[in-house]
Amino acid sequence: MRAFGYRLAYIGAVLIVLLNSWLAYRSLHTFAASQQWQAHTLETLTACEQLVAEIRTAESAARGYVLQADPFLEKQYNDAINRVWDTFEYVGKLTEDSPSQQARLPKVRERIQARLTSIEIGVQLRKVQPTAALTPEQLAIMMTDQYRYGDFTTAYAIAQVEGEERRLLKWRDAQVTSARGSAYTTFGVATGLNLLFLILAFHFLGKEVTARDRITAQAEEIRALATDLEKRVQERTYELQTSNQELEAFSYSVSHDLRAPLRTIDGFSLALYEDYGDKLNDQGRDYIHRVRNGVQRMGQLIDALLQLSRVTRTDLVRETTDLAELARSVAADLKASDPERNVRFEIPGTPVLAQADPRLLRIALENLLGNAFKFTAKTPNAVIRFGSYPGDGANVYFIRDNGAGFDMQYVDRLFTAFQRLHGDRDFKGSGIGLATTLRIVRRHQGRIWAEGKEDQGATFYFTLGS
């Protein structure tokens, strides 16, 4: 949002600068055009003055020729006549933009032509009568510009054109002054706006630099906190490793210390039964059997706890593992443990491959298939099936049986150590197998869950992360 605001302000500033540039260009263009028209008017006035001067030259040369009959003066007269008409044509072109001037020019031409005709009469008479004197009337026609038109002389006719041009010059001078003032005003406003934008740009740039400095300082603080956190994690990891080593040593110590008195109890109870069994009544022998069963169950619990501890401590080594082959191997061991039972294992004949630790997966399958084998002990036609199917992002593996099953309201207790849904008299067990399986699946970043129904079997599903 902040970046969008900066981008919008930048676009607005560019548009305003472009508008200022356009206004400045427009003012300068108007000023230049006004100056051009002013120069054009001055050029027209100069041409008019030049036209009057050429007429005066023609008159002067003609008078000289009439008095002296000098051929040089005649040539000067003829050259002046040619320049008069060239200059008149030039004035006509310069005033093409003014209809009023174009309307005046025919009368001016007529007056110039009349004046030049009167002069030409004198010149031609002198050529015809080189030695005779001209009559006073002839001289009056030649010498006086007011002979036929009174006060409407050639100078007056051209002055009419000059008067219009002077009026235009005055108006165009005012336009030049106005355009100059407008150009100065536009330049001042544009300069002020540009300075304002520069000040605003430096202001926001300063704020941006301050914000960046603040972010840099925060990043440095975060890096320092991360370094401190990493140091704390290393310390906690070292403490946890030390604690695990101490716990491992304690577990082995406890298991060996517990096994010694168990072996003593089991040995002496066996000796008591063998040496004095015939002297005890049935109740006494039953007590000895109960003592030995309790000792053996205690030994099984110790083994299960040690296995659970090893599963947590051992390193995880993933490799391509055929779970179907592992399942067939575990099934063969289970059948060998109780060959009298009629159990049908349905395991795919083709490989079911996964990236997993084969040692840990064998323990997991031993627990899951062992549970299925155990809880189908009272099922006449027991069927245990292992398979897999593609799930949402990962393959799902399952072990299904048609045994005792369980009530789904207690499903959350299945994977908790020492939590059992069936009594020890119905199905033997330590209550640690599924807890061990849960740890193995979690170490593979997988998930495990179960579905079941009482007396209709159970299905355990699990996935293995990548």
Side-chain angles (χ1 to χ4, degrees):
M1 191 65 186
R2 185 177 181 182
F4 176 76
Y6 280 134
R7 194 175 294 113
L8 189 63
Y10 174 76
I11 293 173
V14 170
L15 290 177
I16 292 175
V17 169
L18 290 176
L19 178 62
N20 289 336
S21 299
W22 180 79
L23 290 174
Y25 170 78
R26 184 170 174 271
S27 298
L28 290 174
H29 179 73
T30 303
F31 178 64
S34 300
Q35 280 191 322
Q36 187 175 0
W37 280 111
Q38 186 185 41
H40 174 77
T41 304
L42 289 173
E43 187 177 6
T44 304
L45 286 173
T46 302
C48 290
E49 292 172 355
Q50 180 67 27
L51 179 60
V52 173
E54 294 297 342
I55 292 172
R56 294 286 183 266
T57 300
E59 289 175 342
S60 177
R63 289 191 195 101
Y65 177 74
V66 169
L67 295 176
Q68 301 176 17
D70 187 349
F72 175 76
L73 294 175
E74 182 185 10
K75 182 179 182 303
Q76 188 177 19
Y77 163 74
N78 291 327
D79 293 341
I81 292 298
N82 293 330
R83 288 197 298 270
V84 165
W85 292 120
D86 291 342
T87 305
F88 180 80
E89 294 297 329
Y90 183 53
V91 171
K93 290 182 179 178
L94 291 175
T95 56
E96 285 179 348
D97 58 294
S98 175
S100 60
Q101 294 286 52
Q102 291 291 310
R104 288 188 182 92
L105 288 180
K107 292 183 178 180
V108 174
R109 182 183 182 86
E110 180 184 356
R111 186 66 189 92
I112 293 174
Q113 184 64 54
R115 178 56 185 155
L116 293 181
T117 300
S118 64
I119 297 174
E120 181 66 17
I121 291 173
V123 171
Q124 292 301 325
L125 286 174
R126 174 54 64 195
K127 284 184 177 180
V128 176
Q129 302 174 357
T131 57
L134 299 180
T135 63
E137 183 180 359
Q138 291 173 335
L139 289 175
I141 294 172
M142 181 179 177
M143 300 300 291
T144 305
D145 192 19
Q146 297 174 335
Y147 175 73
R148 182 181 296 177
Y149 296 96
D151 293 336
F152 193 72
T153 62
T154 55
Y156 180 78
I158 296 173
Q160 296 296 312
V161 177
E162 289 179 334
E164 178 62 18
E165 291 299 320
R166 292 188 187 283
R167 187 188 66 79
L168 289 173
L169 178 62
K170 185 177 181 181
W171 178 69
R172 285 166 180 168
D173 284 344
Q175 277 194 324
V176 169
T177 303
S178 175
R180 185 186 297 110
S182 178
Y184 286 152
T185 302
T186 304
F187 175 76
V189 173
T191 302
L193 288 175
N194 291 336
L195 288 176
L196 177 62
F197 282 127
L198 282 175
I199 293 171
L200 290 176
F202 277 113
H203 172 71
F204 287 115
L205 182 62
K207 290 181 66 176
E208 189 67 19
V209 170
T210 303
R212 287 180 182 275
D213 291 342
R214 185 170 61 255
I215 292 173
T216 302
Q218 291 175 348
E220 290 294 335
E221 185 178 356
I222 291 173
R223 276 196 287 272
L225 291 174
T227 303
D228 183 63
L229 180 61
E230 184 178 0
K231 182 180 178 182
R232 290 185 181 183
V233 169
Q234 291 176 352
E235 293 176 353
R236 296 291 185 273
T237 302
Y238 176 76
E239 292 175 359
L240 183 61
Q241 289 175 345
T242 303
S243 177
N244 286 337
Q245 291 174 356
E246 292 175 352
L247 181 60
E248 181 180 359
F250 176 76
S251 299
Y252 275 100
S253 175
V254 168
S255 64
H256 285 87
D257 291 346
L258 288 177
R259 284 183 182 279
L262 285 178
R263 282 195 296 269
T264 300
I265 295 172
D266 187 49
F268 279 104
S269 61
L270 178 60
L272 178 62
Y273 181 80
E274 291 176 347
D275 294 343
Y276 303 98
D278 56 344
K279 298 178 181 179
L280 298 175
N281 56 16
D282 292 341
Q283 188 175 10
R285 287 192 291 273
D286 181 59
Y287 287 162
I288 292 175
H289 281 299
R290 291 190 180 190
V291 168
R292 295 201 65 209
N293 288 337
V295 169
Q296 291 172 1
R297 176 165 174 73
M298 187 67 180
Q300 292 173 354
L301 287 174
I302 291 172
D303 291 340
L305 286 172
L306 286 175
Q307 187 182 57
L308 179 62
S309 176
R310 282 195 295 270
V311 165
T312 305
R313 296 193 316 272
T314 188
D315 294 333
L316 181 70
V317 180
R318 287 182 182 269
E319 59 184 60
T320 303
T321 305
D322 185 357
L323 298 186
E325 183 181 356
L326 282 180
R328 286 193 293 270
S329 175
V330 173
D333 292 344
L334 291 172
K335 283 184 176 180
S337 67
D338 191 356
E340 299 297 328
R341 284 195 56 189
N342 182 22
V343 179
R344 187 175 81 250
F345 283 92
E346 295 182 354
I347 301 173
T350 55
V352 178
L353 301 179
Q355 290 297 317
D357 189 318
R359 295 174 297 113
L360 296 180
L361 259 296
R362 181 177 181 84
I363 295 173
L365 290 178
E366 284 176 349
N367 286 317
L368 294 174
L369 291 172
N371 277 350
F373 190 78
K374 178 171 59 180
F375 290 112
T376 56
K378 299 178 182 180
T379 304
N381 297 312
V383 178
I384 300 173
R385 184 184 177 195
F386 168 77
S388 67
Y389 62 88
D392 186 12
N395 281 337
V396 178
Y397 309 97
F398 65 88
I399 293 93
R400 179 175 296 131
D401 65 71
N402 59 347
F406 60 89
D407 190 343
M408 280 298 289
Q409 65 175 323
Y410 304 115
V411 68
D412 294 338
R413 297 166 53 186
L414 282 176
F415 301 98
T416 304
F418 303 116
Q419 294 289 331
R420 302 190 62 206
L421 303 185
H422 300 278
D424 193 58
R425 289 185 178 180
D426 296 329
F427 300 100
K428 299 289 185 182
S430 62
I432 300 178
L434 289 180
T436 303
T437 304
L438 173 65
R439 292 196 179 186
I440 291 173
V441 171
R442 282 183 175 175
R443 291 208 62 190
H444 285 80
Q445 288 84 44
R447 189 167 66 90
I448 185 169
W449 68 99
E451 296 176 354
K453 188 177 288 186
E454 286 184 306
D455 300 326
Q456 295 186 26
T459 305
F460 286 81
Y461 305 89
F462 67 91
T463 61
L464 300 173
S466 58

